[in-house]
Each structure stands twice: as C-alpha cells, then as structure tokens.
Amino acid sequence: MMDLGAVAATLDALALRVEPIDPQPLSQWMAENIVLVDGPSAGRMWSLDGAPYLAEIADCLGDDHPCNLVTVRKSQQTGASILALGWCLYIADREPANTLYGVPGIDALRDLNSGKLQPLIDAWQKHTGRVVFEPQTSRSGAGSTTYEKVFSRGRLWLGNANSVMDLSSKTVKKGVKDEVSKWEDIPGKGDPETLFFGRFTSFRRRRNWKILEISTPEVDSGDEAGEAHGHCRIDRSFKKSDQRFWFVPCPGCGAHFAHEWGGFVVDEAHPHKSYYVCPHCGARIDDLARVPMIRSGCWRPTAAGGARHPGFHIDAFVSLMMSYEAIAEDHIASRKGGEIGRKDFANLVLGLPHQFKGDAPDHKRLMERREDGLARGHVPPQGLLRVASADVQMRGIWVEVLSVAPNRQSWVVDALYLDGSTESPEGEAFEKLEQQVLNREFTDAFGRGCKIDALAVDSGYRTHVVYAWVRAKQRLHPDTGQDMVLAVDGRDGWSKPAIGMPTPVDIDLAGTKIRQGVKLWPVGTWPLKGAFYADLHKLGVKSGAAADPDGYCHFGTWLDETYFKQITAEYLATESFRGRTRRVWKPITAGADNHLLDCRIYNLALAEYLGLSSTTADEWAELARRRGMPQEAIAEGLFAPRRDAAPAPAGAPIIVPAPAAAPEPEARDPFARLAALNDS
C-alpha cells in the first residue's frame, strides 16, 4: 500500500528545492499582508500594537515551531479570531498544505466565508497585487468555490463541524477548530473532533501536522480534569496544555501578575472608576495605567509535567479592545440575565467556563413562600411580559401562565390541566387551550383586561397535531408584529441558546401534507433549568429579606402541592457516558410528572423571545405606559438597573463593590408601591 505521508513529504521537499522560501514568522507576515476588513480599524493593516499578546501565539503556528496543537481559550473582543484566518492565508502563501477550517453549523460557515474570509482574501490580493487563490467559480473543479479555496499545491476547505460529509474524504495537514466549544456530537456518528482529527492520519507518523483550536468557553461540568462528557471542549484542551497567562508588571511595584476576577473592584455607581488591585503591593490600577501595563506583558506557562502543548488564555482584562469600565458595565448588566447572564459574563468577558448549580429546592419549603396577596388570574403591575406554555399529553394539556418583570421576577398567573382529547387539532383539550389561554382576558393591577403576549406549545408529543393547531391559530402580536403562537421543541445540551432560530417543518396529518407549513422553535432546556433552579433558591421578603431580588419567583396561595412537586421534579445528575462522566438532568423519582416544569422552561424561553434580556430601560418604560402603569412610577426609575448585591461568576470570588448611595425610604420605592397594588 502506498504511504501517502511519505509521498507528501517527498513532494514537499521537491517543492522547496525548486522554490526555496525564506522563513518569516506569521506575526511579521500578517503585519505586512493582512488588511482588516471590519470593525473600527477596517482598511488598516493588521498590527500587534492592538493585540501584543498575539505574537507568541502566531509564531507557534509556523512550520519551524515543533508543536502540533495550539489552544486558545478566549473571551470575545480580543482580536484573536483574525489570527486563524490570517494563518490560512499564510499557509497558502508561505507553507502550502491542504487545510480544513471547521465551524459549528452551516449558518456560521456562510457567515465565515461571506463576512470574513473572502473579503480578507480579496483585500490581501488587492494590497499585494498578487493572485494566490484561484478565482471563485460556481461549480468548476478547477477554480475556487464558496467552501473550497484553491491555491498552488493545496486547498482550504471550509467545513460544517456538525456534518459528517464535511469532515470526511479529505487528507489535510493543517486545520482550525473555530468555536470548538460549540461543536456537538453527530447523532449516530460520534464526536466531531475525532472525525476532524481523522483527516490528519497521513501525517501522524511524521508528526508534522498542526491544528489551531480557538473558542470562547461554554459549560464547566464540575470535573477538575475536564474529562467529563459535556465539559467545555476548549477548557478541556486548555487544561491539558501548559496553560499560559499574560503576566503584566504592576506600575507601582514592578512585580508581575495575571489578572483574576477577585482582584477587580467594581464601582457600581461610577463604572469608569473601577480599578484593579495589585496582589503584591495593593496599588490601585486604573484603566489609564492598564494599557501600557498590557503592552509590557509576557506569556508565562503555569502548568508543567507531561506532554503539554502551548495553550493560551485571553480575557477582557488583557484585550485592548476592552477597558475596566466596559468590564464593570458588562458585570452590572449580566445580573439582569440571572444564571444565564452569569454564564454569558463568565464565557464572553472572563473567558472561563460556567458551572450550573442544579439542585432543586424542597417543594414543601417553596410552598411556605406562597403569598396571600396574589390572586389567581391576576397580572401584577411589574409583570410587563405575559407568556403561557402548554405541554400536550395523550389526553389533556398542562398549562402555566406566567408574568415576568424587567428584572426577571416572575408571578404564576394561572396553572391548568385542560382535560380532553388531543388526537386532532379540533380536540376538546385544544378548544380549551384556545378559549382559556390564548383568547382569555386576564385582569391586570389597574382593572383592565389583558391577554398573553405569546403561547408556546411543546411539539414533542402529537407532533403533527400540534403543528396543525399552531398553523391554524397563528396570529401576529399587535405591538411587536411577532408570531404569538410557537411550536417548540426542547433540546438537550449545555451550549444551546434559550431560544434558537426557527426551522420551517412539514405538516403531515390525516393524509394531507403541507410543506414547510409551520415554524419550529428550538429551546435550550438544560441551561434554562439551571437558571430556574438558581432563582428558586433565592430568598425574598417572605423569608425575611429586605427586598425581593432580581429573578425572584412569586407563587400565590391558590397553588397546590401538585404544582410544586412538578416544578421541582428533576435534579442535575452525574452519569457515565461513553467512558466519561457527564452532567445531565434526571427525574428525582422515576415516572413522576414534570409537565409544569417543562411549561416553566418554555415560558422562560418565551420571555427571551419577547426581549427580556435585550430590551432597554426606555423601551420598558414605553411598554409600561402602553399597559397603564402610573407615570409617577415610571419616572422614578422603576426600570433603571438595581444595585442589589449579586453572586460573582462561577469560579471567581465575590468582588468588593464600591460604596453605593443610601437607599430611598421604602415609601418611595416604586417596586414596593407597585407590589401593594397586588392586594387591591
């Protein structure tokens, strides 16, 4: 059998003899060749001045560096993503080799080519006056295509990491695993990282292959070694690396340190005054001093022993695109998102994985928190978003109606079991769902009638019946123009968004097929369950606290034990899966009902669909006006960010907050006065 590796090595050697190339580090080459195509520096040449920490990473990618793998665990806004694309162009120009660039999903693949890679190629070739990549054609095998870039002695393939075909039938020497933390197991085919690495087999004996993996992190499974199934992929690889951090000299004492969240002091009233405390001398470092400090930094490995590869951690503290003020603002804003917000802050700002806490509180303790003033069917004044979700069963439908405030506090408006047939869209239970939920007028705190903003119907059972009913009852919200009735599908996994992009699906019912007859919305249930259970553990006024915290869950005395048993029916378990451990949601008691828990999770997804995390204070105020809230309450800053203490992100100590202004007397607290309306 022909040794493809030997053949490739021979061809490489012959090519170098015919056309020898002087060695040039990637960082130097990029500074001379890469024209930035987006952002505030678009049209300018790439420079290390904006990201000095990228030089060492770049130079690890050259053929003259002995490593095979380079790991970059990063936050957003670090400038590191351009490195992967620049390396691909460098390969085509200086070190020709077949290269595979993997990204998670077809949409990401299109965005990569049209928004980043192809414009970068065009700008580079225009700047140098050279044509290195063959012109793009629609389907000619001779030229480049959208996902296959042809150059002398090599090809650059763009691949969907969720597709077996994209990770098959290619022999490559170099590769990029972009946003690898979002790569997911391919059903029936296994781990995409294993399939990706299989493309490098011809070069493994000679060990002259090279892979760059770069990603923001996702979920921490709790496994210290990072080996548990479902653990963040980039964090797992970083733990196996030499774990390099960017050490900077203190402007006060000169001693070097790497930023950690525990050393950062957030001035919540004046974020621009936030500062970092030197761990050696205690000097206060502001952002003006931070910038030259970052420019004077250097990489230092912090893990030794074993066959460790280069691994780099880049976070917002290191990025010159960020500032202490921006980090403080992001931290304050993250509180609005509860557990999901804390995850986003850990992933996107600190560049760290986030560990969800998943123990459900005791249902009897929750029952003790029920509030006398919350009437069934009554919408409280703070509850500006009104959502409902339905879980369809063989006979009957479970429903929860929920009201959600801008600070994520929530109130159960109603909880129902609608008995009747669900065999057809005209079944008795679906008629009740329309009458008692979709078309029902609830009473708000100002004596007016109000309807829900959106209804989610789980399509996991009676799938095509649900599709047909949603299609028949679809309508647009009069204020937002968005769909009011959504067919939803719960998706397992820790990296799923609360609610993803919809997919048109066919309806096949009673011998009639309607192509792409309804939109199916995916819901990331695992992170939402973690967020919900974290909120359930919060204590409020009913438990003796001074105020109800953001995300606090309110329950009326009309709710019975069945409701509380169902919403606390699961726990976060550790199990063995394919030789590894992983964290998954499991029922506390096998066979116990959890329908109302499912409804709550879909309601939280609907709140995000309606803009819970993206709506501005001014937009909330306008919505409140339309819904009859007193202008006095709106004017007194009801929707301004609250300064309540909040837990630090997972894996980090609690920060020391800056002194805050004394609270207003309770009589002037708009939340307290609005809450009193619940009793009216």
Side-chain angles (χ1 to χ4, degrees):
M1 180 180 293
M2 182 180 294
D3 186 340
L4 296 178
V7 172
T10 301
L11 292 175
D12 286 348
L14 288 173
L16 290 174
R17 288 184 180 182
V18 173
E19 187 181 353
I21 299 177
D22 294 333
Q24 184 179 27
L26 173 58
S27 59
Q28 180 185 340
W29 183 92
M30 287 184 63
E32 297 174 0
N33 288 270
I34 295 300
V35 180
L36 300 175
V37 295
D38 58 11
S41 299
R44 300 178 185 174
M45 299 301 295
W46 180 86
S47 171
L48 284 172
D49 288 344
Y53 42 83
L54 294 182
E56 187 169 324
I57 304 173
D59 295 340
C60 286
L61 297 173
D63 279 349
D64 56 344
H65 195 285
C67 73
N68 296 114
L69 177 65
V70 179
T71 298
V72 180
R73 185 182 71 179
K74 69 179 191 69
S75 63
Q76 65 181 0
Q77 299 298 317
T78 62
S81 296
I82 189 67
L83 199 61
L85 298 170
W87 184 42
C88 292
L89 274 58
Y90 175 82
I91 291 169
D93 190 35
R94 307 285 302 183
E95 300 173 352
N98 285 349
T99 304
L100 178 58
Y101 196 116
V103 296
I106 187 65
D107 291 336
L109 203 61
R110 294 192 188 102
D111 292 344
L112 173 71
N113 180 68
S114 63
K116 296 181 179 180
L117 179 60
Q118 192 58 49
L120 202 66
I121 292 174
D122 294 341
W124 168 47
Q125 295 187 150
K126 180 180 179 180
H127 170 71
T128 60
R130 301 163 52 216
V131 177
V132 177
F133 287 91
E134 294 290 337
Q136 184 166 317
T137 61
S138 57
R139 49 181 171 269
S140 169
S144 298
T145 65
T146 302
Y147 303 130
E148 181 180 356
K149 312 297 181 183
V150 180
F151 53 89
S152 177
R153 305 201 306 273
R155 278 170 163 75
L156 168 62
W157 285 290
L158 308 183
N160 175 5
N162 297 332
S163 167
V164 172
M165 293 304 297
D166 282 13
L167 301 182
S168 304
S169 305
K170 298 175 179 67
T171 298
V172 300
K173 184 179 181 181
K174 298 179 181 180
V176 177
K177 298 194 294 188
D178 197 358
E179 287 300 336
V180 67
S181 292
K182 295 180 175 61
W183 291 22
E184 299 176 358
D185 286 356
I186 303 174
K189 301 297 180 180
D191 190 334
E193 286 193 89
T194 302
L195 297 174
F196 184 91
F197 192 50
R199 304 303 94 221
F200 293 78
T201 300
S202 296
F203 300 94
R204 290 183 64 185
R205 182 176 65 83
R206 299 180 68 243
R207 296 193 64 81
N208 61 345
W209 52 273
K210 187 153 294 195
I211 294 174
L212 167 65
E213 48 189 19
I214 181 170
S215 182
T216 52
E218 281 290 333
V219 173
D220 182 350
S221 66
D223 177 22
E224 187 173 345
E227 293 293 340
H229 186 84
H231 189 93
C232 171
R233 293 177 184 272
I234 198 70
D235 187 63
R236 177 188 301 147
S237 185
F238 182 76
K239 288 178 181 293
K240 295 177 181 178
S241 75
D242 57 12
Q243 300 180 28
R244 304 183 193 188
F245 290 84
W246 191 251
F247 279 75
V248 296
C250 170
C253 67
H256 282 70
F257 65 89
H259 281 84
E260 295 182 1
W261 176 242
F264 188 51
V265 179
V266 175
D267 187 327
E268 298 194 2
H270 309 94
H272 65 283
K273 295 183 179 179
S274 299
Y275 58 89
Y276 195 86
V277 178
C278 173
H280 301 288
C281 69
R284 292 189 176 190
I285 305 169
D286 61 16
D287 201 66
L288 190 63
R290 180 188 76 101
V291 174
M293 184 174 71
I294 295 298
R295 294 189 188 281
S296 301
C298 62
W299 289 108
R300 291 185 181 180
T302 61
R308 294 184 178 271
H309 64 276
F312 302 86
H313 172 84
I314 309 175
D315 56 29
F317 287 116
V318 171
S319 172
L320 292 180
M321 298 183 185
M322 293 289 284
S323 65
Y324 284 160
E325 178 183 10
I327 295 170
E329 290 173 341
D330 286 351
H331 170 67
I332 294 169
S334 71
R335 295 176 179 176
K336 182 179 180 181
E339 192 72 6
I340 300 297
R342 286 190 284 275
K343 174 185 178 295
D344 288 345
F345 183 78
N347 295 166
L348 303 179
V349 180
L350 301 183
L352 297 172
H354 176 76
Q355 183 176 359
F356 283 98
K357 309 297 183 181
D359 293 332
D362 181 77
H363 79 276
K364 292 184 177 179
R365 289 291 183 89
L366 284 180
M367 290 183 68
E368 294 172 358
R369 282 175 27 185
R370 291 179 295 180
E371 302 168 37
D372 294 330
L374 302 180
R376 187 172 191 173
H378 177 93
V379 177
Q382 305 102 307
L384 296 184
L385 301 181
R386 304 146 185 174
V387 293
S389 291
D391 188 20
V392 178
Q393 298 300 302
M394 180 178 292
R395 180 175 178 84
I397 302 174
W398 292 88
V399 180
E400 183 194 55
V401 182
L402 192 71
S403 181
V404 184
N407 70 343
R408 295 184 307 99
Q409 287 192 42
S410 63
W411 294 260
V412 181
V413 176
D414 210 345
L416 307 162
Y417 174 71
L418 307 175
D419 190 30
S421 172
T422 60
E423 293 182 353
S424 77
E426 294 78 28
E428 181 184 2
F430 282 105
E431 289 182 2
K432 292 179 178 178
L433 181 61
E434 182 178 9
Q435 296 166 4
Q436 299 183 34
V437 181
L438 184 58
N439 293 337
R440 178 179 173 183
E441 280 205 349
F442 298 88
T443 303
D444 70 13
F446 314 106
R448 306 192 315 177
C450 60
K451 294 184 177 181
I452 60 172
D453 297 312
L455 168 66
V457 186
D458 187 0
S459 63
Y461 189 76
R462 306 276 199 208
T463 300
H464 291 276
V465 174
V466 170
Y467 289 169
W469 189 85
V470 168
R471 177 181 172 86
K473 305 304 175 184
Q474 189 57 267
R475 61 197 70 177
L476 299 181
H477 194 283
D479 292 334
T480 66
Q482 292 178 288
D483 289 350
M484 283 188 62
V485 188
L486 282 66
V488 296
D489 179 39
R491 304 287 172 86
D492 294 345
W494 289 110
S495 60
K496 300 290 194 301
I499 187 162
M501 297 299 294
T503 302
V505 294
D506 298 343
I507 303 174
D508 190 352
L509 186 66
T512 301
K513 187 170 185 176
I514 305 175
R515 288 187 55 78
Q516 299 188 352
V518 71
K519 287 180 282 190
L520 180 63
W521 296 80
V523 172
T525 59
W526 285 15
L528 286 174
K529 286 179 182 177
F532 176 49
Y533 279 179
D535 285 340
L536 283 183
H537 279 286
K538 293 178 178 178
L539 301 179
V541 174
K542 183 73 175 181
S543 303
D548 295 326
D550 291 354
Y552 185 76
C553 302
H554 298 266
F555 307 102
T557 53
W558 54 271
L559 288 164
D560 63 9
E561 189 173 14
T562 296
Y563 174 86
F564 291 97
K565 282 184 175 180
Q566 287 203 25
I567 67 170
T568 58
E570 297 186 13
Y571 74 105
L572 195 54
T574 300
E575 69 172 18
S576 178
F577 181 79
R578 294 179 182 172
R580 293 177 175 173
T581 59
R582 67 172 184 175
R583 302 261 282 174
V584 298
W585 291 102
K586 286 191 172 184
I588 294 175
T589 303
D593 288 342
N594 66 345
H595 311 300
L596 291 171
L597 172 60
D598 290 344
C599 289
R600 172 56 67 102
I601 298 310
Y602 291 136
N603 274 333
L604 296 178
L606 282 182
E608 293 298 331
Y609 167 76
L610 294 172
L612 176 62
S613 296
S614 59
T615 301
T616 66
D618 288 343
E619 290 169 339
W620 283 121
E622 177 57 30
L623 179 60
R625 290 187 190 96
R626 292 201 304 267
R627 298 197 163 172
M629 184 175 290
Q631 179 61 34
E632 179 190 2
I634 298 173
E636 288 191 17
L638 179 63
F639 305 110
R642 304 185 76 182
R643 304 300 182 186
D644 305 329
I654 297 176
I655 66 167
V656 181
E664 294 284 350
E666 185 175 352
R668 293 185 57 79
D669 182 350
F671 272 94
R673 289 188 291 100
L674 284 177
L677 292 174
N678 287 322
D679 299 323
S680 60

